[in-house]
Each structure stands twice: as structure tokens, then as C-alpha cells.
Amino acid sequence: QVQLVESGGGLVQAGGSLRLSCAASGRTSSNYMGWFRQAPGTEREFVAVIRWSGGSTNYADSVKGRFTISNDNAKNTVYLQMNSLKIEDTAVYFCAAGRGGPWSLTSGYTYWGQGTQVTVSS
């Protein structure tokens, strides 16, 4: 049984940093891992993706230069380092595992974590 478990969310002031983790267990057969976020009343949106092989990454324009996705293959864990956080980054953050694409859309992912809340205050 595949499980993705996120951790690391919390409350932080604007300009601060948080690091999210996503631990994967079970056989995901995934080629890439992504982070998405969803604020109240909005659709889930793409944040970042990393490929297990080679480690190439892509980011949403809204987080480029502030967020960094990385992985530890030995631990089957993906991280999202979030710096210079803004109030508009407030959302529930989800990690997901996918294989065939499209990696920027929720339809490109098969497995999802339960989400972790990130709240950025002024």
C-alpha cells in the first residue's frame, strides 16, 4: 500500500522559512514527485516537481527563486524548502507521486498525501 506522509507545516511570519517533508512508503512506481497547494475556495495548484532520476526540477512562476524542491532517494523522501514566505503562500500543501504526466496538473499524479497546513502571517 502506497503512503505519502507530509510534515513540516506550521505558522510563520512573512519573510520567514519552512521546510516541508514528504516520506513515501510502498511501491509508487513513480517517475516524479510534486508539491501542490490549495488555499480555501481555490483549486489545487502546482508548486514544484522533481524527477527521481536525474533530479531535474520545475517550479511555478509564483515560487521561483524562493522555493527549492529536493529529494533523498535513499530515504524515499522529497523536501520543499520555502524561503521569503508571503501571506499569499498560505495554503494546504500536498505532495504527490506521478509517472506519465502532465507533471504540472493534478491529473498527472496517482498518489497523494493528506496535506499539511502552511499559514503565513503579517
Side-chain angles (χ1 to χ4, degrees):
Q1 183 178 355
V2 174
Q3 263 197 318
L4 302 179
V5 179
E6 302 102 334
S7 60
L11 174 65
V12 64
Q13 284 192 323
S17 299
L18 279 176
R19 187 196 196 205
L20 306 182
S21 299
C22 173
S25 61
R27 189 180 178 88
T28 67
S29 298
S30 63
N31 291 339
Y32 50 84
M33 296 286 292
W35 285 97
F36 285 72
R37 66 187 182 186
Q38 188 168 19
T42 69
E43 295 195 351
R44 199 168 294 188
E45 65 172 4
F46 168 76
V47 175
V49 64
I50 188 166
R51 285 86 183 172
W52 285 117
S53 178
S56 62
T57 60
N58 291 89
Y59 297 91
D61 287 344
S62 58
V63 307
K64 273 181 187 175
R66 300 188 298 120
F67 291 11
T68 302
I69 188 171
S70 61
N71 64 349
D72 184 333
N73 286 6
K75 295 182 178 179
N76 274 351
T77 299
V78 175
Y79 306 96
L80 186 69
Q81 178 66 44
M82 305 186 295
N83 299 329
S84 301
L85 282 161
K86 303 176 181 180
I87 292 175
E88 51 263 42
D89 293 319
T90 296
V92 177
Y93 283 70
F94 299 88
C95 71
R99 182 173 180 84
W103 46 259
S104 63
L105 301 178
T106 56
S107 59
Y109 295 81
T110 305
Y111 301 103
W112 291 84
Q114 82 288 351
T116 185
Q117 176 71 47
V118 171
T119 303
V120 184
S121 64
S122 59

